[in-house]
Amino acid sequence: MVKIWQGTIELNLKLFKFHSLNFKNTNFKKFKSDLTMKNILFDLKLTQESGQTSQPPWQEIANCVNGYCDVMTLDNTPILLKVYQKSINELNIDYELPISNKSLEINKKLIEKEITRIYDLNFDLNKLYNHMAEDSKLSPAIDFCKGLRLFLAKDPFECIISSISSANNSIARWTKSITKIRQKWGEDVKFSSGTFYTFPSPSVLMNIYEDNFEEYEACNRTIETEYCINNLKSCGVGYRAPYMMKTSELFEFEMDLFEIPKMSYEEAFDLILNLPGVGPKVADCILLYGFGFKEAFPSDVWIKRIISHLYFNGEDISVPKVREFGMEKFGDYAGYVQLYLFHYARKSGLMKKLK
DNA sequence: GCGCAGGTATTGA
DNA sequence: TCAATACCTGCG
């Protein structure tokens, strides 16, 4: 049994904040991070904006070039983490404490450890480039993607629910859904910079109304159905709603998120394939972007088009075959190769050509 | 208003 | 094991 996150039910629908944040007059604490000094090859902007499937993008900071922030729970305390980069090889980290908890002391090593995990900063990109350079199909991708790293989800449970909602869906649409879920059922944390919402825990998510009808019945039919907005389907997840609720229930009662990192890739894959709404593509996204299993080669229609164009003369290859091919050919680099190929295809115009 | 894109679950060979 | 189809929403 697992109960990791605290969550309170927030029933008021808040307006979306799509604009960038403005950080004038705020209480950010700067600290000299060891990461700043390490001279790590890392392009923060490229990584943040590469559209990796794991969680909604972090918020851009208006008055800060290449600055991003999001709330995350460290040591059971939500803090607002801000990362920015003035030049490649140099990463700056600031953080802000909740208004209600400003005297708190935060362990800076913990923040650095988390940032290192999220951006995979211990991974040697030059080793990857040497490997890619040996394959004439992959070598053009290197220059398009210098400094691109894996971008892991800060919250594995949110990653799982996000990935389920990403199936047969567009990035813009599932991102909106997850943002609504955070705002309706997550914990709202107030910072000087504004209010941020954490993602609800499995125990909260398994108990919400699934659709208008359930909510209407629970209100003893005292409201009009068009005012039923505190249910999962009102977030635009469609037929994925029951999958998400059932998965929440499984993590509350039967499965343990902390067991997954201890497993082999194959064990973990077989396990999460049993979750409702999770097929091979979603399972691989969860393992790669939620848990950092780099052997995963998430294969969707786009990767299928790219692989069949590059390696099979445009011949139609089934998605399961593409996955098999990628895992076999790229081994421990499969996840990174998938990420680099996808980004390369987007930037080089190959994607448009393949459509 | 209507066709289309996008993975999974289900059904039926 | 594989092919066909329904599922839901938002965009063009």
Side-chain angles (χ1 to χ4, degrees):
Chain A
M1 190 149 104
V2 38
K3 189 164 185 184
I4 309 168
W5 298 273
Q6 296 292 319
T8 54
I9 299 186
E10 167 62 59
L11 291 174
N12 295 323
L13 175 61
K14 301 292 193 304
L15 285 174
F16 283 128
K17 279 189 185 168
F18 282 121
H19 58 83
S20 303
L21 286 182
N22 203 327
F23 277 113
K24 273 177 220 158
N25 308 320
T26 58
N27 269 340
F28 268 105
K29 291 181 196 240
K30 287 180 194 293
F31 70 89
K32 203 82 185 161
S33 163
D34 289 344
L35 294 174
T36 314
M37 316 306 286
K38 269 191 177 168
N39 207 29
I40 301 164
L41 174 55
F42 175 42
D43 189 327
L44 175 66
K45 184 181 168 69
L46 186 61
T47 301
Q48 278 281 346
E49 296 173 10
S50 58
Q52 301 181 39
T53 309
S54 59
Q55 61 187 359
W58 291 20
Q59 276 199 265
E60 276 180 61
I61 303 166
N63 54 347
C64 173
V65 184
N66 298 334
Y68 305 85
C69 70
D70 207 350
V71 64
M72 64 191 71
T73 305
L74 292 179
D75 238 356
N76 292 320
T77 313
I79 61 167
L80 185 60
L81 216 55
K82 171 186 172 188
V83 289
Y84 57 102
Q85 204 172 36
K86 288 173 189 156
S87 67
I88 208 158
N89 295 338
E90 174 218 302
L91 180 65
N92 304 287
I93 308 166
D94 296 349
Y95 67 95
E96 194 180 317
L97 295 170
I99 290 174
S100 61
N101 209 351
K102 274 198 165 158
S103 56
L104 196 85
E105 281 300 316
I106 288 287
N107 181 346
K108 289 170 186 175
K109 285 284 163 221
L110 209 60
I111 295 179
E112 287 179 358
K113 207 176 145 197
E114 187 62 359
I115 289 291
T116 303
R117 185 190 72 84
I118 287 173
Y119 295 119
D120 198 25
L121 295 179
N122 283 336
F123 180 71
D124 186 350
L125 278 184
N126 285 313
K127 256 191 194 162
L128 170 72
Y129 298 159
N130 289 337
H131 178 83
M132 288 174 69
E134 285 171 19
D135 183 336
S136 64
K137 307 288 186 189
L138 295 181
S139 52
I142 300 173
D143 282 339
F144 276 93
C145 314
K146 268 272 162 64
L148 174 61
R149 287 181 177 273
L150 272 183
F151 184 22
L152 297 204
K154 56 184 201 279
D155 172 346
F157 180 63
E158 178 177 31
C159 172
I160 289 167
I161 300 300
S162 291
S163 300
I164 290 174
S165 68
S166 77
N168 199 13
N169 210 341
S170 75
I171 295 176
R173 253 170 57 200
W174 70 255
T175 294
K176 251 187 219 175
S177 297
I178 298 300
T179 307
K180 279 191 186 181
I181 291 172
R182 283 187 191 175
Q183 292 176 337
K184 287 187 188 188
W185 300 290
E187 186 185 353
D188 60 313
V189 191
K190 292 181 176 61
F191 298 94
S192 307
S193 304
T195 301
F196 283 72
Y197 298 85
T198 61
F199 195 77
S201 67
S203 63
V204 169
L205 215 51
M206 64 177 265
N207 284 316
I208 63 179
Y209 305 125
E210 189 175 308
D211 53 26
N212 283 8
F213 185 71
E214 260 191 36
E215 188 181 349
Y216 175 68
E217 292 286 304
C219 295
N220 294 319
R221 302 169 186 245
T222 50
I223 54 169
E224 299 293 325
T225 46
E226 63 258 38
Y227 294 115
C228 292
I229 52 163
N230 289 305
N231 62 78
L232 194 47
K233 279 197 179 167
S234 73
C235 301
V237 299
Y239 58 86
R240 304 164 193 87
Y243 300 155
M244 295 159 83
M245 295 191 64
K246 183 77 186 131
T247 291
S248 303
E249 216 178 298
L250 284 169
F251 277 109
E252 176 66 10
F253 293 124
E254 286 171 42
M255 293 166 89
D256 187 344
L257 278 169
F258 289 123
E259 288 300 315
I260 295 173
K262 299 178 194 161
M263 295 177 180
S264 71
Y265 165 75
E266 285 78 13
E267 281 177 313
F269 184 81
D270 290 344
L271 179 80
I272 60 171
L273 210 53
N274 292 319
L275 297 171
V278 174
K281 154 71 188 346
V282 167
D284 276 333
C285 280
I286 293 170
L287 292 181
L288 182 59
Y289 299 117
F291 295 94
F293 283 96
K294 298 188 181 105
E295 314 93 305
F297 192 73
S299 303
D300 59 7
V301 288
W302 283 107
I303 283 300
K304 165 191 152 137
R305 284 167 192 163
I306 294 165
I307 290 290
S308 78
H309 169 78
L310 290 177
Y311 291 96
F312 295 92
N313 272 320
E315 186 195 332
D316 193 42
I317 309 286
S318 75
V319 170
K321 287 269 184 289
V322 168
R323 173 172 180 264
E324 219 173 286
F325 172 83
M327 288 175 63
E328 184 110 326
K329 186 156 180 69
F330 308 123
D332 286 346
Y333 292 117
Y336 263 99
V337 170
Q338 192 265 10
L339 177 62
Y340 271 62
L341 281 180
F342 200 86
H343 190 73
Y344 163 65
R346 267 215 312 214
K347 290 285 160 182
S348 67
L350 177 62
M351 214 92 145
K352 276 186 182 147
K353 213 177 99 185
L354 294 177
K355 208 172 181 178

